[in-house]
Amino acid sequence: MIDLWFVIIAFLWTGYFVLEGFDFGVGLLAPLLSRNDAEQRQSLQTIGPVWDGNEVWLITAVGAMFAAFPAWYSGVFSAFYLHVTLILVGLILRGVGLEWRGKVRNPAWCDMAVMVGSGLPAFLWGAVFADLLFGSAVAAVLGGAFTLAVCLLHGAVFLALRTTGAIRRRARAAALAVSAAVIPVAVLALSNLGTFPALAAMAALTAATALIWRRREGWAFTATAAAIVLATLAVFMELRVRPLPGLTLAEAASGAYTLTMLSWIGLIALPFVLVYQGWTYYVFRKRVRVAA
């Protein structure tokens, strides 16, 4: 049961990073790629129907950690209290910016809030997990740079996939430019892990660059998503052995009764969540065009 819930938590964090990864990338890139308000709205509309649903994965992942591994939860979130606080500030800024943009006369501050609110968690989550694994400031900065760069690439490919016209062309060019930085950063950040998923993640990022060059946005997005999945898998393989210094997974876990009850709750609720989110993405699958 302990291993089952560790896998579930890893799955929830993976889903969060894949889905929020392109949200963060779009939030960072939209003001840079847009030349007017209509293009800015076009860019943000690609994530408008889904960004808040994507955040549910974070809430669920943290809640599952709290219930299944309370010692792990308390250790991580107390050790990285400042990081988590800044992440929450960023998520609040982003939410306010996205919700208020169409309700104010001058939306420039909303665009800045979305940009800052996307950049903070994109960098800090990588810093948290790298510091958790390696315990050094250099590793934390490198981990943050990696997740920030991957989010930028993931978001650029998503914009190229979901838009038309000038934004699509600029997003493709941005993806190619960002990939030049992503791959060397990935080599530095993931080589310390040295596992097959880490190596496969680097290969997936390289494949994404080739695919976006060939204008295969759908496959390129699949490749960037695969890279995030593989990188997250590599991280959680290390955390399975040592979730915190001096703490094993068994020592961090709740009792057998709690884990059993959580399993029944998850078995009932998780399929509905997955079906609902899949339906949402199906409904909003079409490309977004510049408003007339």
Side-chain angles (χ1 to χ4, degrees), residues 82-115:
L82 177 60
H83 299 70
V84 174
T85 300
L86 291 174
I87 288 169
L88 292 176
V89 169
L91 294 177
I92 291 169
L93 285 174
R94 187 182 65 145
V96 170
L98 288 169
E99 293 293 338
W100 283 34
R101 193 180 192 281
K103 303 176 177 66
V104 297
R105 291 184 178 180
N106 182 11
W109 70 267
C110 295
D111 296 336
M112 181 57 65
V114 173
M115 194 173 185

Side-chain angles (χ1 to χ4, degrees), residues 134-150:
F134 303 111
S136 73
V138 173
V141 172
L142 191 56
F146 169 71
T147 52
L148 179 62
V150 170

Side-chain angles (χ1 to χ4, degrees), residues 259-280:
L259 294 178
T260 301
M261 292 302 297
L262 286 174
S263 299
W264 281 109
I265 294 170
L267 183 65
I268 295 169
L270 189 58
F272 289 99
V273 174
L274 295 176
V275 169
Y276 170 76
Q277 190 133 41
W279 176 78
T280 302

Side-chain angles (χ1 to χ4, degrees), residues 46-63:
T46 62
I47 63 172
V50 298
W51 69 268
D52 48 355
N54 293 342
E55 287 189 353
V56 172
W57 288 78
L58 173 63
I59 297 169
T60 309
V62 172

Side-chain angles (χ1 to χ4, degrees), residues 20-222:
E20 282 279 76
F22 68 75
D23 276 0
F24 294 149
V26 171
L28 285 163
L29 289 169
L32 303 177
L33 301 182
S34 304
R35 301 293 182 265
N36 51 53
D37 183 69
E39 290 184 350
Q40 177 74 359
R41 283 187 282 114
Q42 179 192 17
S43 298
L44 293 181
Q45 281 173 9
T46 62
I47 63 172
V50 298
W51 69 268
D52 48 355
N54 293 342
E55 287 189 353
V56 172
W57 288 78
L58 173 63
I59 297 169
T60 309
V62 172
M65 284 182 67
F66 173 77
F69 300 99
W72 187 24
Y73 166 88
S74 62
V76 170
F77 286 92
S78 60
F80 298 101
Y81 183 82
L82 177 60
H83 299 70
V84 174
T85 300
L86 291 174
I87 288 169
L88 292 176
V89 169
L91 294 177
I92 291 169
L93 285 174
R94 187 182 65 145
V96 170
L98 288 169
E99 293 293 338
W100 283 34
R101 193 180 192 281
K103 303 176 177 66
V104 297
R105 291 184 178 180
N106 182 11
W109 70 267
C110 295
D111 296 336
M112 181 57 65
V114 173
M115 194 173 185
V116 173
S118 299
L120 277 174
F123 177 85
L124 288 172
W125 279 127
V128 165
F129 279 95
D131 198 352
L132 189 62
L133 288 177
F134 303 111
S136 73
V138 173
V141 172
L142 191 56
F146 169 71
T147 52
L148 179 62
V150 170
C151 286
L152 282 168
L153 179 60
H154 199 38
V157 174
F158 183 76
L159 274 176
L161 177 64
R162 290 295 317 283
T163 58
T164 62
I167 290 294
R168 182 185 181 187
R169 293 192 297 271
R170 294 182 202 129
R172 188 186 300 120
L176 291 171
V178 171
S179 66
V182 169
I183 294 173
V185 171
V187 171
L188 292 173
L190 298 177
S191 59
N192 289 332
L193 295 174
T195 57
F196 174 77
L199 297 175
M202 290 186 271
L205 291 172
T206 305
T209 304
L211 289 163
I212 196 67
W213 180 267
R214 297 183 60 187
R215 302 172 184 258
R216 303 293 298 273
E217 291 103 338
W219 284 110
F221 183 75
T222 302

Side-chain angles (χ1 to χ4, degrees), residues 209-291:
T209 304
L211 289 163
I212 196 67
W213 180 267
R214 297 183 60 187
R215 302 172 184 258
R216 303 293 298 273
E217 291 103 338
W219 284 110
F221 183 75
T222 302
T224 56
I228 295 173
V229 170
L230 290 164
T232 308
L233 175 60
V235 169
F236 274 87
M237 284 174 62
E238 296 292 324
L239 291 175
R240 171 65 184 84
V241 178
R242 187 177 61 92
L244 282 173
L247 184 71
T248 66
L249 203 60
E251 293 169 340
S254 295
Y257 177 78
T258 300
L259 294 178
T260 301
M261 292 302 297
L262 286 174
S263 299
W264 281 109
I265 294 170
L267 183 65
I268 295 169
L270 189 58
F272 289 99
V273 174
L274 295 176
V275 169
Y276 170 76
Q277 190 133 41
W279 176 78
T280 302
Y281 278 95
Y282 176 78
V283 170
F284 296 103
R285 67 190 182 279
K286 294 182 180 179
R287 290 184 183 271
V288 178
R289 303 178 183 274
V290 177

